[in-house]
Amino acid sequence: MSSSIPAGFQMGGFHCGVKRNPNKEDLSLIVCDEDTVAAGVYTTNLVVAAPVVWDRARTPSDKIRAVITNSGNANACTGEQGDKDNAELAGIVAGKVGVSADQVLTMSTGIIGHHLPMEKIRTGLDEVFQRLGTDESHFDAAARGIMTTDKGKKVAARQCEINGKPVKLVGMCKGAGMIAPNMATMLSVVLTDAELSPAQAKQLLTDVTNDTFNCITVDGHRSTNDTLLLLASGKAETGELAGESLDTFRAELHQLCEDLAKQIPADGEGSTHLIEINIEGCKNRDDALRIAKTVADSALVKTAITGGDPNWGRIVSAAGYSGVKFDPMGMELVVNGHLLYREGTPVKFDEKTVSQSIKDNFETNVTLKFTEGDTKVRYWSSDLTVEYVRFNSEYRT
Amino acid sequence: MSSSIPAGFQMGGFHCGVKRNPNKEDLSLIVCDEDTVAAGVYTTNLVVAAPVVWDRARTPSDKIRAVITNSGNANACTGEQGDKDNAELAGIVAGKVGVSADQVLTMSTGIIGHHLPMEKIRTGLDEVFQRLGTDESHFDAAARGIMTTDKGKKVAARQCEINGKPVKLVGMCKGAGMIAPNMATMLSVVLTDAELSPAQAKQLLTDVTNDTFNCITVDGHRSTNDTLLLLASGKAETGELAGESLDTFRAELHQLCEDLAKQIPADGEGSTHLIEINIEGCKNRDDALRIAKTVADSALVKTAITGGDPNWGRIVSAAGYSGVKFDPMGMELVVNGHLLYREGTPVKFDEKTVSQSIKDNFETNVTLKFTEGDTKVRYWSSDLTVEYVRFNSEYRT
């Protein structure tokens, strides 16, 4: 059997009418064969959607049996009614699986400030249960069911051997900028058959998120619904993970999440470039992240990349206003392998060559080196185009 | 005599060829009749231009005799040669006035990473001294001499009575976003004939800047050259300012700087709206400013205003990710006088009316109220348009 899907899960997607387009799935269901270990990380926005409140209170856990996601409506800023609707959603799924509502996690993504169309969803839930299955096609339908303005589904898979047993990881995510009207950007679910404790799952997720999903930006606008879930069925019978086997799993999970995370700015609304920002030689991780984020969010850096302009001044000055103290004379900037700035003065470089390398490649690499220490981070952003502005200014609430 | 220009200053502007367009002044000179009190506030960017280093070391002072500004070249990231060129600039002006170079302040704005075209500037300095005068037309020429991508000169004037004497304040500033290639955004000079000590001038400038020039954003990109200078000739013979007379002057200076500061986002590159953001009911000023800045810098808030879209979700969620702790249920949002959000749930409002009020007015008022305390701040931003992106992505280094 060559399926990339780990054992222990059934998946499916269905269009029930939350989205207008009848060809787009708006319900995504994952059902676990048995009680399953699950952990989550969530948006740090103070204003959070009903499903985030629900899931936060129920993870980490070793008793999760299902994840139900609707797209097209974020169930955010919807008050008490939003909490009730979310609880009903979990309750219906729990009833069908034959477990308690507390064993069901929920996610929502889409328009904010509107109540869920519960009639449509109730009918849709009957249907999506009919469509559950264990194949990649079922996983793909579930992955499409969490999409909003994404151009296509975002999925990734990894396989490895742990304690002599084959282990699978598979993940889906969605996000393309703060979707109109800008809520509920990023959702992701990772499934594995490795054996993890709830505490391990939570710790692994936190470790890995810091270097992956927490290192991407499209427009710097953090949503109310961001959720990343890890579900571990244990069906690979790896035994308890510790030491080397835990490291192996963490590395695989890291790579999977990095693959998924990069797909978000790569599909950033209107974007024409994925920008990878490498910050090296910082005193500590906080400093490095702060510089990376400042460069990544600068409208001027982004528009320079859009225009294929090796405009080093914009990058260097963004680092300068990040709030991090560093020796400006020690700063060095390399774009797509070309040295542009060193020791406080511009370096002679062939502008046309660098410009062409930006234009010819979807990915632009920006490396900023400092002389404060040994810490490095990577960060991913999208460029800023006329289409982004058009998309977000022409949309009507 | 009804001139708005305070006594004690001669001003002039001239085109010497730093800018390509021969109709645009690129040198701006202010000469003080006698030793004059001067104070400055400067960019907090770690990467700073040569003139910022120069002025910082020489203010506050009671011996300043001239301010020379060139536009079209920021003299930033130009290393030792940049410092030498700047010192020569000050030296030439000092020689002509017959004072020491330490009594001359300098400002530069324009392209980064290029050495000043000293030949042109040397010749231009001879010429600009010929054009000095005390009229409003001379002040206007000096105000045009500091412009870069500004659509027009930015000036403001105030008059008041202090200790029975008429006092004048007049100011110029420039800035329209991080100008290509994004350095040297904001410069401003305020002239007055009030009597101030150097310490008073410095304190007044700091007080007032916090509520005015520090409360504006176009694209959140802080420059390497930002400088605001206050020069006080004392010619109004007000005597020492203290208590009520100092308060009067501070209020006038505040209003002048607010007038000037608002002109910057109002002229933001490509902008079609000035956005005034009122944050009320915060625990302290830091919290209020943090929320204001987060809302003001959000690409999604800006594009919503561009499109005349009363998209309250984008505003509410931006406040939510500002990093400030507040009770989300206590938040209230009013746009152009219309209540859009209260107590965690959307309010019914006539979307067309609110949309029309955004479209019909150049200024959009966004008021966010919290229930954490009594502190309020005001902040100004520009919207984000296709023209901004076009302008900044089509520019070539």
Side-chain angles (χ1 to χ4, degrees):
Chain A
M1 184 185 110
S2 70
S3 165
S4 64
I5 311 298
F9 304 99
Q10 297 182 70
M11 301 130 305
F14 181 65
H15 170 82
C16 76
V18 186
K19 288 179 187 163
R20 264 174 238 160
N21 186 332
N23 298 315
K24 294 195 169 174
E25 287 91 343
D26 48 24
L27 280 180
S28 168
L29 178 64
I30 298 167
V31 174
C32 312
D33 297 347
E34 298 172 36
D35 286 1
T36 292
V37 167
V41 291
Y42 306 97
T43 179
T44 55
N45 200 313
L46 257 189
V47 178
V48 295
V52 171
V53 177
W54 177 272
D55 290 1
R56 263 191 194 147
R58 286 160 183 83
T59 52
S61 162
D62 55 4
K63 303 231 168 330
I64 294 305
R65 290 297 295 273
V67 180
I68 178 70
T69 307
N70 77 278
S71 54
N73 183 316
N75 197 8
C77 301
T78 43
E80 272 179 41
Q81 185 63 42
D83 290 329
K84 271 187 217 161
D85 290 344
N86 185 73
E88 185 185 337
L89 201 59
I92 294 172
V93 172
K96 287 179 182 290
V97 179
V99 297
S100 96
D102 283 334
Q103 293 175 274
V104 177
L105 300 178
T106 59
M107 302 197 294
S108 294
T109 177
I111 197 160
I112 189 207
H114 289 74
H115 295 302
L116 287 180
M118 290 304 290
E119 267 317 308
K120 289 174 183 169
I121 289 177
R122 281 183 205 111
T123 314
L125 285 176
D126 288 337
E127 195 63 34
V128 74
F129 267 91
Q130 304 305 316
R131 294 171 184 242
L132 288 173
T134 57
D135 290 350
E136 279 163 7
S137 67
H138 299 107
F139 180 80
D140 287 352
R144 287 193 303 269
I146 69 171
M147 284 166 49
T148 49
T149 58
D150 309 75
K151 283 198 212 82
K153 68 177 194 292
K154 298 182 167 80
V155 298
R158 306 281 304 174
Q159 307 212 15
C160 62
E161 210 179 86
I162 291 180
N163 298 339
K165 302 290 172 75
V167 167
K168 293 172 181 173
L169 298 93
V170 67
M172 60 177 81
C173 74
K174 59 100 12 188
M178 294 297 300
I179 56 146
N182 92 283
M183 292 289 141
T185 333
M186 202 286 282
L187 297 180
S188 182
V189 184
V190 175
L191 307 177
T192 182
D193 46 16
E195 285 186 52
L196 299 173
S197 71
Q200 273 183 325
K202 173 75 186 162
Q203 188 59 50
L204 282 163
L205 216 47
T206 307
D207 291 351
V208 163
T209 305
N210 283 338
D211 289 322
T212 57
F213 287 107
N214 284 351
C215 286
I216 55 171
T217 183
V218 172
D219 45 24
H221 200 112
R222 240 179 290 152
S223 103
T224 48
N225 289 51
D226 281 3
T227 298
L228 163 63
L229 299 175
L230 169 64
L231 275 70
S233 70
K235 298 280 184 189
E237 298 182 346
T238 50
E240 201 189 327
L241 300 199
E244 202 181 320
S245 64
L246 186 61
D247 290 345
T248 302
F249 184 80
R250 185 187 293 110
E252 293 294 329
L253 181 66
H254 187 284
Q255 195 54 54
L256 183 90
C257 287
E258 184 176 312
D259 285 357
L260 288 171
K262 283 169 69 172
Q263 292 182 44
I264 293 176
D267 184 33
E269 287 164 351
S271 74
T272 57
H273 287 88
L274 173 66
I275 310 171
E276 176 171 302
I277 297 159
N278 287 277
I279 306 295
E280 302 178 4
C282 283
K283 205 166 57 190
N284 56 50
R285 196 175 152 75
D286 276 356
D287 282 4
L289 279 174
R290 218 158 145 185
I291 296 171
K293 183 171 170 17
T294 308
V295 173
D297 277 336
S298 162
L300 288 160
V301 171
K302 286 150 140 329
T303 49
I305 303 297
T306 303
D309 181 7
N311 195 320
W312 56 269
R314 297 186 181 179
I315 301 170
V316 166
S317 64
Y321 74 79
S322 64
V324 174
K325 288 214 168 142
F326 59 82
D327 173 16
M329 297 305 283
M331 183 167 29
E332 192 176 304
L333 172 66
V334 177
V335 172
N336 286 352
H338 303 275
L339 180 69
L340 303 192
Y341 185 81
R342 178 156 60 182
E343 290 174 1
T345 44
V347 171
K348 279 213 173 112
F349 65 92
D350 184 45
E351 211 177 279
K352 276 190 189 146
T353 307
V354 186
S355 174
Q356 206 56 50
S357 86
I358 297 174
K359 287 178 180 164
D360 290 347
N361 294 288
F362 177 67
E363 201 165 322
T364 299
N365 186 292
V366 172
T367 300
L368 265 174
K369 299 178 190 171
F370 299 88
T371 49
E372 315 302 319
D374 292 328
T375 311
K376 47 172 92 172
V377 302
R378 268 189 307 167
Y379 216 88
W380 295 274
S381 184
S382 47
D383 61 358
L384 174 61
T385 65
V386 161
E387 283 65 39
Y388 173 92
V389 176
R390 205 167 269 153
F391 181 81
N392 283 295
S393 61
E394 288 178 5
Y395 176 89
R396 299 283 306 114
T397 307
Chain B
M1 184 185 113
S2 69
S3 165
S4 65
I5 310 298
F9 302 100
Q10 297 182 71
M11 301 131 303
F14 181 66
H15 170 82
C16 76
V18 185
K19 289 178 187 161
R20 264 175 238 159
N21 185 332
N23 298 314
K24 296 194 168 175
E25 289 90 342
D26 48 24
L27 280 180
S28 169
L29 177 65
I30 297 167
V31 175
C32 312
D33 296 346
E34 299 171 36
D35 286 0
T36 294
V37 167
V41 291
Y42 305 96
T43 180
T44 55
N45 199 312
L46 257 190
V47 178
V48 295
V52 171
V53 177
W54 177 273
D55 290 2
R56 264 190 192 147
R58 285 160 184 83
T59 53
S61 162
D62 55 5
K63 304 230 169 329
I64 295 304
R65 290 297 296 272
V67 180
I68 177 70
T69 307
N70 77 278
S71 54
N73 184 315
N75 197 8
C77 300
T78 43
E80 271 179 41
Q81 185 64 42
D83 290 329
K84 271 187 217 162
D85 290 343
N86 185 71
E88 185 186 338
L89 201 58
I92 295 171
V93 171
K96 288 178 180 290
V97 178
V99 297
S100 94
D102 283 333
Q103 294 174 272
V104 177
L105 301 178
T106 59
M107 303 197 293
S108 294
T109 177
I111 197 161
I112 191 205
H114 289 73
H115 295 301
L116 287 179
M118 290 303 289
E119 267 316 309
K120 290 176 182 168
I121 288 177
R122 281 183 205 112
T123 314
L125 284 176
D126 288 336
E127 193 65 34
V128 73
F129 267 91
Q130 305 305 316
R131 294 171 185 241
L132 288 174
T134 57
D135 291 349
E136 281 162 7
S137 67
H138 298 108
F139 181 81
D140 287 353
R144 288 193 302 271
I146 69 171
M147 283 167 50
T148 48
T149 58
D150 308 74
K151 283 197 213 83
K153 68 178 193 293
K154 298 183 167 81
V155 298
R158 307 280 306 171
Q159 308 214 12
C160 62
E161 212 181 86
I162 292 180
N163 298 338
K165 302 291 171 80
V167 167
K168 294 172 180 173
L169 298 92
V170 68
M172 60 178 81
C173 74
K174 58 97 17 186
M178 294 299 300
I179 55 147
N182 92 282
M183 293 290 143
T185 333
M186 205 285 282
L187 297 180
S188 182
V189 184
V190 175
L191 307 177
T192 182
D193 46 16
E195 285 187 50
L196 300 174
S197 71
Q200 273 183 325
K202 172 75 186 163
Q203 187 59 50
L204 282 163
L205 216 47
T206 306
D207 291 351
V208 164
T209 305
N210 283 338
D211 289 321
T212 57
F213 287 107
N214 283 350
C215 286
I216 55 171
T217 182
V218 172
D219 45 23
H221 199 112
R222 239 180 292 153
S223 103
T224 48
N225 289 51
D226 281 2
T227 298
L228 162 64
L229 298 175
L230 169 64
L231 275 71
S233 70
K235 297 281 184 186
E237 298 182 348
T238 50
E240 201 191 327
L241 300 199
E244 202 182 320
S245 64
L246 187 60
D247 289 345
T248 302
F249 184 81
R250 186 186 291 109
E252 293 294 329
L253 182 66
H254 186 285
Q255 195 53 53
L256 183 90
C257 287
E258 184 177 312
D259 285 357
L260 289 170
K262 283 169 68 173
Q263 293 181 45
I264 293 176
D267 185 33
E269 285 164 351
S271 74
T272 57
H273 287 87
L274 173 65
I275 309 172
E276 176 171 303
I277 297 161
N278 287 277
I279 306 295
E280 303 179 2
C282 283
K283 206 165 57 191
N284 55 50
R285 197 176 151 75
D286 276 357
D287 282 5
L289 279 173
R290 217 158 145 185
I291 295 171
K293 185 172 170 16
T294 308
V295 174
D297 277 336
S298 161
L300 288 160
V301 171
K302 286 150 142 322
T303 49
I305 304 296
T306 304
D309 180 8
N311 196 319
W312 56 269
R314 296 186 182 179
I315 300 170
V316 165
S317 65
Y321 73 79
S322 64
V324 174
K325 287 212 170 145
F326 59 82
D327 174 16
M329 297 304 283
M331 184 169 25
E332 191 176 305
L333 173 65
V334 177
V335 172
N336 285 353
H338 303 276
L339 180 70
L340 303 192
Y341 185 81
R342 179 156 59 185
E343 292 175 0
T345 44
V347 171
K348 277 207 173 119
F349 65 91
D350 184 47
E351 210 177 279
K352 276 189 189 150
T353 307
V354 186
S355 174
Q356 205 56 47
S357 86
I358 297 173
K359 286 178 180 164
D360 290 348
N361 294 288
F362 176 67
E363 202 166 322
T364 299
N365 186 292
V366 172
T367 299
L368 265 173
K369 298 178 190 172
F370 300 87
T371 50
E372 316 301 319
D374 293 327
T375 312
K376 47 172 90 173
V377 303
R378 269 189 306 167
Y379 216 90
W380 295 274
S381 184
S382 48
D383 61 357
L384 175 61
T385 65
V386 161
E387 283 65 40
Y388 174 92
V389 177
R390 206 167 268 153
F391 181 81
N392 282 296
S393 61
E394 288 178 3
Y395 178 88
R396 298 282 307 113
T397 308

